[in-house]
Amino acid sequence: MTATEKTYTYRSGKKIELNKSLVQMVVRALPGSVDDDAIVDKQQVSSGSTLITTTSTNLESVMRRSRAVAPTHHAYFEAQTGAEFLITDRIFVVFKTPPSTEAVDEFAGRYGLVKKAVYSDRDYLFQLTTHTGMNPVKLVVKLTEDDPLVEVAEHDLDQRVATSQFAVPLDPQYGREWHLHTDLNDPDYDTRACSLCEDAWRLLDHFGSENVVVAVTDDGCKLDHHDFDSPDKFADWGYFRGERLIISRDIDADPGEMYQPGSNHGTSCAGVIAGEVDALLTVGAAPGCSLLPIQWESDGPSLYISDSKLLTALNFIADKVDVMSNSWSGVPTFVLALPVINRLTELAQTGGRRGKGIVFLWAAGNDNCPISHTAAVDVPFTHGWRVYNDGSAEWIGVDTARQFDRNLVGIPGVMNIAALASTARRSHYSNYGPGISLCAPSSNGHAYYRMDVRGLGVTTTTGQPGGVTHEFGGTSSATPLVAGIAALMVSANPDLTALEVVSILKQTASKDLDFQAYPRTPSAGFDPDTSWDISPIAPFDNGNFSDVGDEDGTWSPWFGHGRVDAAAAVAEAMRRGVRPGDLIFQGEASPDKSIPDNNSRGIKNKIVCDRAFTPRSIKVHVDITHTYIGDLRIALISPSGTAVTLHDRTGGSASDLHSEFNIGSTPALLAFLDEPVEGVWTLHVQDLAAQDRGRLKRWLLEISGLTQSAFDVEEAPGMIIPDNIPGGISRSLNVAISGHLDDIQAELDITHTYIGDLRVELVSPSDTHVLLHNRTGGSANNIIKTYTGENTPHLQILRGETINGIWRLNVSDRAGADQGKLNRWALKLMPSA
C-alpha cells in the first residue's frame, strides 16, 4: 500500500511499531476547510479532523501550507495489523506520583504543552504547541523512555469504528421490495432479477450521500410525503406553468403545486430513486441521496413537454445534479430538437453539480417494439384497445410502423432503460433492440392485455391515501431504479465522471437471466387473426448476448448490457477511487516539441516511473496546441511495450487538445492494469495529414495502486456432496496470519453434473457470509473457478475484516438426481500493508 517509514510509539503501556505514510497526513479541520490543488483525496476521520492524501513529492509542501490552517501531522498505520493510527496534537500523561501544581506547570513549560484536562491526581491531558519541537509520536517515546516523572504517556487517538452489523431498513414495506434485496420468498420471484441494492449499501456502509442529487422530471412529486420528509431531502424543485418554470426561490412559488391529485407517477418514480430509510413506509435505491423534482404540466398519462421547455429544465439543473431520470418517451418517433441534443451532449460531459457530467436516463417504453430501427415488416407499437370514460374497452387493433427513430440513441452519457420481470425474463411489454443500454427489475404484463404473464409489481411511494402502491412498473419504474444506483456510485466515488458511471453500469451488469421467449398473442372471438403479433422481430427475436464491438462488453437486444447490478457497480466505483494507503505515481514532462506534419514517425516523449506496485487506475493528461486535431493520433506505450490509442484522428477542425484520458473515458487503458508500472512510459504523437501543425507542450501521467503480499491456504478433501440435502457439507481452514483483509480470492474445484443444484457459501472468521454460487448455471458441469472482487463484488464486503481465525466453505446440493464432489478449495488472502 502506501510508501512508508517505520517508527514506533507507545499505546496502553506497550511499544507499537508504526509505518509513517509518505503520502498522507491528518489535519485538525473538517474537509471543507482544507483546500489545496495538490490534494488527491480527503476523508473526515473524526468530528473535527481530516485524513489528506497527496503525493510523496508534494506531502511536505502541502503539510506546510496546511499548518497555516490547523494543526497537521503525518498519518500512521500499525505495522503489524495495518490499522489506522490516527494521532492528534493531544497526549495523555500518567505521572508516577501526584505532582504539585507548580510541577505540572514546569513540566508543561519544558515541553511546550498546554494543559487541557485533569482526570485524577495523576491523569492529565496535554496539547502540543509549535514550541514543543517534536511531533506527538516522538514526544510520547521521549516521555515514556526518558522522563523520570512519567509512568505512562500515550496518544489521544482519533478512532473510526463501525457498528457491529449493517442495519437492514425497518420500513414496513421493505420486505416486499424484491427489486432491492433477495429475501422475498415468492413463486414469481427469481433472485436473478434483483438489483442487489441492499448489498451495495453494505459495501458503502450507508445509504448514499445527501450531497448527491438526482433530478426527476415527471407529473410532479408530493413533497410532504412521509418518505421524503427529512430536512433538505429536496435540493430544489420546480414546476411549469405554460412556458415558465417556477422554482422554489421564486416569490410566487407554492410547494403544494408540485402535486396534483391523481397525478402519482412522479411521486412513485421519486420513491424508487430515494425513498428514505425511516421505518415508516418504503425504501428507494439511494435512500440517503437528495432529489430535485421538476413537474411538467399533464393530463392523465400525457405530459405537456416541448423542446424549449426541456431546454429550460436542462439549464435549471445544469449545475445542480449528478443524475437525471426521465420516465417518459414515445414511439415510433421520439426525436428531440438539435439544440436539446447538443445541450444534453454538453451536460453529459461537463455539466452537473461536480462539473464531471450528468448521467441522463430515459425509459425505453412499454410498447413491445424497437426504439431505433428500420424494419422490413409492419411492427405493432400500440396495445390495440380503446378505453372509454366509463371503464369499458373495445379492441380496435394495433397501430404499426416500419420506421422507429429515437435520436437519444448513441449520445455518450445517455442511457435507455428496458424492463425485467421478477421472473428474470424480459418484461413482455418492454421495448427492445438497438439503443437499449440496460434493463432493470420492474413489473410484467402482456403488451396487448390478452394473456397472463408472471411477474410482481414494484412497491414504492404514491400520493394516494396510504402513501404506498404495490403495482408500480413499466420502464417508468426501471429507469429511476438505475438513477438511484448511479447516485450510489457517485456517493461511493465522487471523482467519477458521468461517462465513467455509464461505462461501469454497463460493464458490471449481470447477464445471468432467463432467455425464454413468450408465446404469440392467442386469437380471440373479436380478433381471430393475430398474425399482426410479430414482436420481437428478427434479428431481435432472442435475448442472447453477443459481441457487437461495444467497448463495454457484450450486448443483448432484450437486456442491453444486462441487468443493472448495484453491488457490482458500487464495488467497481469504490475500486476506482483512491483509497487511503494507495500508492500514487505522478510524472510530468514539458517537452514543448514540434509535431512533424504529415509524418507517421511523429515524436515520442518519455516519463520514467520509479515505483513498483499493482496498478488500480491510470490517467493521462495531454496539452497539445494544433490547428486541426483531426490530424492527430496519440498513443501511450507501457514499459512492457503495450500500446493503447488515446486519440485517433477525432475532433475534426477543432483547435488544440487539452484532455484527460482515464479508464472511464478510454477503457482500453484497462490493458495496463495487468502490467508492471515500473520503467519507461512513452507518449507517441503523430500528425497523419498535411497542412496543419502543432506542438506537444506538456503531458502528465498518474498511476495509483498498491503493493500486496498474499498468503495462500488450501484444502483438497475429495469429499462427496450429499444429493438434495440442504445442510450439505462444511469445510474449514484455520488461518494464523494477523492483520486485516485488503483483498481476497477464492478458488473452487467441484465436479458435479448439474451445477444449477449447488449453493456455495464462504464464511469469514467474523461470521460474514458471502454467496459464491447460488444455483446458477443450469445443466452445466463442474465449478472450476477463481472468485475475485471483480467477478464476485460481494467478496469486497469482507474488506477490513480480521484475517486470523477459521474460514469456512459451505456447499449444498438443493435438488435431486445429480451428485458431485468437492475436490479442492483455496483462499488467497491479501492483508492491508
Side-chain angles (χ1 to χ4, degrees), residues 60-75:
E60 293 303 323
S61 60
V62 174
M63 290 184 71
R64 283 195 301 272
R65 292 191 290 271
S66 176
R67 289 188 177 112
V69 177
T72 301
H73 303 292
H74 283 279

Side-chain angles (χ1 to χ4, degrees), residues 641-725:
T642 302
V644 169
T645 300
L646 305 177
H647 175 90
D648 196 7
R649 304 195 63 180
T650 58
S653 61
S655 297
D656 303 336
L657 191 64
H658 307 289
S659 298
E660 180 181 277
F661 303 92
N662 53 49
I663 289 172
S665 63
T666 313
L669 288 168
L670 287 166
F672 293 141
L673 301 193
D674 295 323
E675 297 190 1
V677 301
E678 188 175 16
V680 176
W681 291 81
T682 304
L683 190 74
H684 187 196
V685 183
Q686 301 165 281
D687 184 318
L688 300 176
Q691 293 187 351
D692 293 85
R693 303 179 66 93
R695 300 181 69 83
L696 171 60
K697 304 289 288 186
R698 174 173 169 266
W699 71 288
L700 298 91
L701 175 66
E702 180 181 300
I703 311 171
S704 66
L706 74 163
T707 55
Q708 292 178 320
S709 56
F711 299 90
D712 297 302
V713 289
E714 66 175 279
E715 182 197 34
M719 190 173 186
I720 296 295
I721 305 165
D723 187 38
N724 200 19
I725 303 293

